[in-house]
Amino acid sequence: MAISFDRERQTFHLQTPHSSYIITIVEGLYPSHVYWGPRLRNASWPGGLTLRERASFSPTPNPDKPSLSLDALLQEYPGYGSGDFRSPAYQFALSDGTTVAELVYREHRIFAGKPKLEGLPATYAESDGEAETLELTLHDSFSGLIAVLSYTTFRDSDAIARSVRYVNESADSVRIRRALSASVDFNNDEYELVHLNGAWANERNLSRRALVQGQQGIESRRGSSSHQHNPFVALVSPNADEEQGDAYGFSLVYSGSFAASAEVDQFRTTRVSIGINPFDFEWLLEPGQSFQAPEAVLVYSNEGLGGMSRTYHRLYRSRLSRGEFRDRTRPVLVNNWEATYFDFDADKIAAIAEEGARLGIELFVLDDGWFGYRNDDTTSLGDWKVDLKKLPQGLDDLAKRVNAHGLQFGLWFEPEMISPDSDLYRAHPDWCLHVEGRRRTQGRRQLILDLSREDVCDYIIDTVGGVLASAPIAYVKWDMNRNMTEIGSALLPPERQRETAHRYMLGLYRVLETITSRFPHILFESCSGGGGRFDPGMLHYMPQTWTSDNSDAVCRLKIQYGTSLVYPISSMGAHVSAVPNHQVHRVTSLKMRGDVAMSGNFGYELDLTKFTPEEKEEVKAQVTAYKELRELVQFGDLYRLKSPFEGNDTAWTVVSADKSEAFVAFFRVLAQPNAPIDWLRLAGLDPNADYEIAGTGERFGGDQLMYAGLPVPRLEGDFQSATWRIKRV
Ligand code: DGJ
C-alpha cells in the first residue's frame, strides 16, 4: 500500500519508492502538513507535528486550545479570513458578498489507480496497479462549497500528483476567486528558490536565490505559460547540486496564466503554492456545478536537482505524453523556415527534400506561408486553404513529391490565430478575443481566436482536420505567436468575462484532444515563437516542443540545459541552422551546431542545397551518427555535468536505463590560452563495470570515469565541442 491511513492518529502516509509525504487531520478538521522528504517507515513519532501557543495576533479557532492557530499551523490547503494571514490556496465570494471561508475535513477515500481530470491534461496510470490515489473531501459548512483534494502516488516514480475539484453543493452561486492546485507548508526557511525565466529567443534561464522573509514568486499574466516564466519552481537546500541535497519540485500541468510563490512568514515557515494565476481570474459556480483546477506534479529528491529532473523526465516522457510517438524514436527533420521564410514554391521545397534524402533526413516540414495569400506575416491566419499561386498542384501533390524522395511530409499551422486581413475575420469579426468598443491590440499583426467559444473551436477542428485529411501529412508543427490582450468573449455574460482566459485553455485542450486522437499517426510538435508554451499541459497532447526560435549553438547550451531542469530530451526540438545565425549573427562550427542539436530531437533548419560538398559529407555523417544515437539520447537518463550558467564549459551525458551505454557531450564556448588539462567526471555509470570508448577503443572502469574523469582533448579556437560514445564491455 503506497497510501495508508492511521485512523487513531488521523494520519495519512503517502509513500513513493524513495519519499514520504505525511498529512494529519488536526482536531478532526484541519488537514495539516507533517512531512515531505526521504521515505520513512512510520508516519508518526513524538512531536511529529508540534503546536505552540503564539501571541494574540495569531488567533485561535478554538479558545480552549490556544496552541492551535491557523496562522502557525502547517497546512495542506489553506484559506483566508478565519485566522491564517499567509497567502491562501483558495478564496471565494458568496452571494452575500463576503469572502470568509474555511474548508475543513469531511471524509476521504483511498483507491487504486488515478482518475482523469475532466477537460484538463494530466499524468496518468496505464493500469490501476501503477498508482494509488487519496481523495480528501473538505467542506465549508457555512456556504456548502466542497473541495476534493486529490493526491496520487505512482508505483515507479517519486512524484506526487495533486489537484483540486470544487463542487457547489449549496443552493446559491459562488464566485471562485482563487483555486490553486497545491500548497505545501515547509517547517523552515533554509532553502533556495529555483525557477526558469527568460524572454523570446532566450527561454528558461536558470535562476536560484535564497529565500527571504515575505513573498517571492513568478507568474504569467499572458494567457499562456510564456517565454518569461515557466510553470515550475523548486525549493532546494543550500548544499543542493546536481548530485546531492534536497530538491522539492512543483510543476503545473497547465498552459495558461499561472502563479507560483514561496512565502516565508514570521515563524520562518515557508509556504509554496502553484496554480492558475488568481490575477484577473474568477469563476462563477452555480449550484450543482463543479470546477476542476489543473494538476501540480510534486517531486522530492535527495539527489539534488539532477535526481529531481530525472524523476520529471521519466514521468513526463512515459505518463504525461501519450500516443504512438511517446515511446518511438523521432525522425530527423528539415524545416524550411530559416531556409526560405515566406518565399518558396513547390520546386524549391522539392529541391530541399531531394537534398535531404541524399543526406539521410527522414521528414520535411513545410513551415509558415503555404496558405491564404501569406507572403509575409500580415495576413491570412484562419484561412487554412492552400495558396495555389505558390503551390499550384496543391498540398497533396507537394506531399507526394516529398514522399517520392523518401521523406515524410510535415506541415505548420497556427490554428489559434486570426489575421484582421483574412476572409475568416471579414466573416466573423466577433470570433477573436476582444472587449466590445475597445481597441483590438495586435501582436505580429494578428488577433487571437476566442477559444472559449465552442463554434470557434469546432471551426479549428474542422478546418485543420480537413487539411490533415487532404494529404499524406505525418507531422504537424502547432504554433502560437502572441500573448492575450483584451481578454473578453462576445458570448460570455458580464459575470463570466473573467472566466475567458481559463475557458480558452479548456477550449484549446478540447481541440488538441480531438485532433490528436483523430490523427493518431501524426507526430505533433507544439511551438509558441519557439518555447513560449513549453509546458507539461502541451506535452500531454504533443510529445515534443520547438524549444526556442534561437538556434545559435552557444545560446542553445543555456536554453536546452535550463529546459532540462523539468523536461526530457525527447520533448526538445533542436536544429542545426545556418551561419551567421539568424537570431544572434554568431558564426559557430557545423560540428558544434550538430553536437548541440544532437542532444535533442535532431533536425536542420536551413537550405540544404546551399551546403558545400564538404559540408554535405559532414551533415551526412551527423545524420548517421544521430540515428545510431537517438534511442539513447531520446530515452536515456540525463546527467548534467557542467553548467553553462556557471562558466565557459558545458557538459552533459545521457546514460541508458541499464547503464550499458552513454553519450557524453562537452562544449567550450571561448578558447582559453594555456588552458589547463580537463578531466570530465561522468555520472550515472555502473562503477563496477568496464566501458569502452567508441572509436578509440580505450577502456575505463565506470568508477574511473565517474571519480577520476575522462580526459578532454585539446580544443583550439572558439565554439568547440567533443562527444564520446561509451559502451559497457
Ligand atoms: C514562430 C516559430 O517559432 C518559427 O519556428 C516559425 O514557425 C515562425 N513562427 C513562422 O511564422
Side-chain angles (χ1 to χ4, degrees):
M1 282 274 284
I3 303 181
S4 54
F5 178 56
D6 179 338
R7 189 167 301 280
E8 197 188 323
R9 296 188 172 91
Q10 294 282 292
T11 295
F12 299 93
H13 191 181
L14 287 64
Q15 286 175 308
T16 73
H18 305 99
S19 74
S20 280
Y21 188 105
I22 300 171
I23 303 164
T24 194
I25 309 293
V26 169
E27 299 279 288
L29 294 171
Y30 305 108
S32 306
H33 184 75
V34 179
Y35 175 85
W36 185 23
R39 184 173 159 123
L40 302 178
R41 280 175 289 126
N42 292 307
S44 304
W45 63 93
L49 183 86
T50 304
L51 304 179
R52 189 162 295 165
E53 187 173 345
R54 299 293 186 181
S56 62
F57 296 95
S58 292
T60 51
N62 178 354
D64 297 327
K65 181 117 195 215
S67 65
L68 175 63
S69 165
L70 299 184
D71 199 29
L73 189 66
L74 303 178
Q75 298 189 61
E76 277 300 311
Y77 202 63
Y80 173 78
S82 47
D84 188 346
F85 300 103
R86 293 166 290 177
S87 187
Y90 64 90
Q91 189 182 37
F92 40 92
L94 304 183
S95 56
D96 64 6
T98 63
T99 53
V100 175
E102 190 171 80
L103 288 166
V104 296
Y105 174 80
R106 183 161 87 178
E107 60 191 6
H108 74 267
R109 63 185 191 117
I110 297 170
F111 53 93
K114 181 175 193 293
K116 284 190 169 165
L117 263 63
E118 199 177 338
L120 286 170
T123 56
Y124 57 89
E126 285 201 325
S127 68
D128 280 357
E130 276 187 4
E132 213 170 353
T133 298
L134 161 68
E135 278 185 359
L136 276 180
T137 301
L138 315 184
H139 71 135
D140 178 50
S141 55
F142 183 82
S143 66
L145 195 74
I146 305 290
V148 182
L149 310 189
S150 170
Y151 298 76
T152 295
T153 55
F154 299 87
R155 186 188 58 205
D156 303 321
S157 173
D158 286 311
I160 296 176
R162 284 186 62 172
S163 62
V164 184
R165 181 166 43 89
Y166 288 87
V167 186
N168 185 356
E169 287 193 350
S170 77
D172 268 337
S173 57
V174 170
R175 287 166 182 274
I176 300 176
R177 289 187 163 175
R178 186 181 184 90
L180 299 187
S181 299
S183 178
V184 175
D185 283 350
F186 292 78
N187 65 10
N188 69 88
D189 65 350
E190 288 160 21
Y191 298 106
E192 293 172 358
L193 182 68
V194 174
H195 55 97
L196 299 167
N197 63 72
W200 172 79
N202 183 22
E203 297 92 336
R204 289 172 295 285
N205 288 278
L206 208 65
S207 173
R208 182 167 174 167
R209 47 182 155 141
L211 291 179
V212 292
Q213 287 264 336
Q215 278 277 11
Q216 44 245 281
I218 54 165
E219 64 179 324
S220 164
R221 297 187 201 117
R222 294 171 173 268
S224 67
S225 49
S226 85
H227 299 89
Q228 287 72 14
H229 293 288
N230 198 259
F232 163 81
V233 288
L235 280 198
V236 298
S237 53
N239 71 334
D241 56 24
E242 285 296 322
E243 288 170 13
Q244 46 126 27
D246 294 317
Y248 298 87
F250 295 76
S251 163
L252 190 68
V253 187
Y254 191 57
S255 314
S257 296
F258 73 93
S261 70
E263 181 182 20
V264 178
D265 78 344
Q266 58 184 328
F267 305 120
R268 292 184 42 208
T269 71
T270 306
R271 171 167 293 169
V272 179
S273 53
I274 192 163
I276 293 179
N277 197 341
F279 175 84
D280 207 28
F281 166 82
E282 196 171 73
W283 194 273
L284 180 64
L285 206 60
E286 302 283 9
Q289 289 184 339
S290 62
F291 176 83
Q292 176 67 60
E295 176 167 286
V297 178
L298 278 53
V299 166
Y300 168 75
S301 171
N302 62 3
E303 290 177 5
L305 288 166
M308 179 201 73
S309 297
R310 284 185 290 281
T311 299
Y312 277 121
H313 295 173
R314 284 188 214 113
L315 186 72
Y316 284 0
R317 209 164 48 209
S318 63
R319 292 294 180 270
L320 173 70
S321 290
R322 299 170 305 165
E324 280 183 17
F325 292 89
R326 186 189 75 181
D327 304 326
R328 285 221 330 241
T329 54
R330 312 290 162 71
V332 178
L333 66 80
V334 58
N335 176 306
N336 74 307
W337 178 239
E338 291 195 9
T340 64
Y341 294 103
F342 296 99
D343 185 16
F344 60 82
D345 59 20
D347 288 344
K348 178 70 206 168
I349 297 307
I352 296 178
E354 191 180 354
E355 190 57 56
R358 279 195 280 270
L359 300 173
I361 292 172
E362 299 158 308
L363 166 70
F364 175 85
V365 179
L366 179 60
D367 210 281
D368 197 352
W370 58 266
F371 54 94
Y373 43 98
R374 192 159 162 94
N375 296 318
D376 56 32
D377 61 10
T378 63
T379 76
S380 303
L381 293 169
D383 298 345
W384 299 108
K385 285 197 195 105
V386 67
D387 176 356
L388 293 173
K389 278 205 188 111
K390 277 184 197 162
L391 308 174
Q393 310 303 321
L395 267 184
D396 184 50
D397 179 78
L398 179 65
K400 286 182 178 147
R401 279 178 77 177
V402 169
N403 289 167
H405 290 300
L407 274 74
Q408 292 189 304
F409 181 75
L411 196 59
W412 178 97
F413 289 90
E414 197 176 357
E416 298 158 67
M417 297 292 149
I418 181 166
S419 302
D421 180 9
S422 66
D423 293 343
L424 185 66
Y425 191 73
R426 284 181 278 276
H428 298 285
D430 61 334
W431 272 20
C432 61
L433 291 176
H434 68 281
V435 174
E436 208 42 59
R438 291 195 178 273
R439 182 188 65 227
R440 299 179 178 192
T441 306
Q442 298 183 20
R444 206 193 192 199
R445 300 285 285 271
Q446 61 200 53
L447 299 167
I448 304 185
L449 282 169
D450 177 3
L451 270 68
S452 75
R453 295 174 61 139
E454 216 174 304
D455 52 356
V456 171
C457 291
D458 289 343
Y459 171 82
I460 295 176
I461 292 169
D462 290 348
T463 49
V464 173
V467 175
L468 295 182
S470 74
I473 294 169
Y475 163 106
V476 164
K477 178 174 173 187
W478 185 290
D479 205 349
M480 199 270 193
N481 281 305
R482 58 159 295 183
N483 291 141
M484 293 180 187
T485 54
E486 293 88 33
I487 307 176
S489 172
L491 289 196
L492 290 173
E495 65 278 15
R496 289 198 181 272
Q497 283 297 323
R498 289 175 75 186
E499 298 175 10
T500 308
H502 181 60
R503 284 185 182 275
Y504 179 101
M505 297 317 306
L506 296 177
L508 172 64
Y509 291 144
R510 178 171 79 83
V511 169
L512 298 182
E513 179 73 40
T514 311
I515 291 184
T516 55
S517 10
R518 199 171 286 171
F519 297 95
H521 307 315
I522 293 181
L523 169 60
F524 286 85
E525 173 158 336
S526 85
C527 173
S528 175
R533 213 165 48 181
F534 201 134
D535 59 60
M538 294 307 288
L539 287 179
H540 183 62
Y541 304 97
M542 305 188 173
Q544 56 189 63
T545 301
W546 178 224
T547 313
S548 175
D549 273 350
N550 187 344
S551 50
D552 169 66
V554 175
C555 294
R556 273 297 183 118
L557 293 175
K558 284 186 178 162
I559 294 169
Q560 292 174 205
Y561 188 100
T563 303
S564 80
L565 202 63
V566 187
Y567 306 102
I569 283 188
S570 61
S571 68
M572 288 187 224
H575 302 168
V576 173
S577 60
V579 289
N581 172 269
H582 292 198
Q583 293 78 40
V584 296
H585 309 284
R586 193 179 350 250
V587 176
T588 52
S589 66
L590 185 53
K591 171 163 170 48
M592 180 172 179
R593 281 177 277 153
D595 286 344
V596 173
M598 281 197 215
S599 300
N601 292 328
F602 187 63
Y604 292 83
E605 181 116 2
L606 40 66
D607 189 345
L608 299 174
T609 64
K610 293 196 174 143
F611 277 136
T612 62
E614 297 73 38
E615 285 171 332
K616 283 182 188 166
E617 284 312 306
E618 193 173 345
V619 167
K620 218 192 248 180
Q622 285 178 341
V623 172
T624 307
Y626 185 72
K627 285 180 183 168
E628 279 168 19
L629 203 61
R630 65 180 153 191
E631 174 95 40
L632 169 63
V633 165
Q634 294 172 7
F635 300 105
D637 287 327
L638 175 75
Y639 292 80
R640 291 175 295 255
L641 305 173
K642 278 179 176 286
S643 169
F645 297 99
E646 289 168 13
N648 192 30
D649 297 341
T650 300
W652 50 63
T653 178
V654 186
V655 183
S656 62
D658 65 0
K659 299 188 182 298
S660 65
E661 55 175 331
F663 169 68
V664 185
F666 177 91
F667 306 93
R668 171 155 297 155
V669 175
L670 294 180
Q672 275 177 277
N674 209 9
I677 296 173
D678 288 303
W679 295 81
L680 180 63
R681 285 167 55 180
L682 307 189
L685 300 173
D686 176 356
N688 299 313
D690 289 329
Y691 293 87
E692 187 172 296
I693 310 282
T696 71
E698 290 169 310
R699 291 195 175 189
F700 297 82
D703 51 354
Q704 292 165 337
L705 288 170
M706 291 196 292
Y707 311 143
L710 183 65
V712 176
R714 180 195 286 268
L715 296 170
E716 282 169 358
D718 296 340
F719 316 130
Q720 295 295 315
S721 60
T723 61
W724 297 262
R725 189 81 193 269
I726 296 177
K727 288 200 175 154
R728 185 160 54 200
V729 287

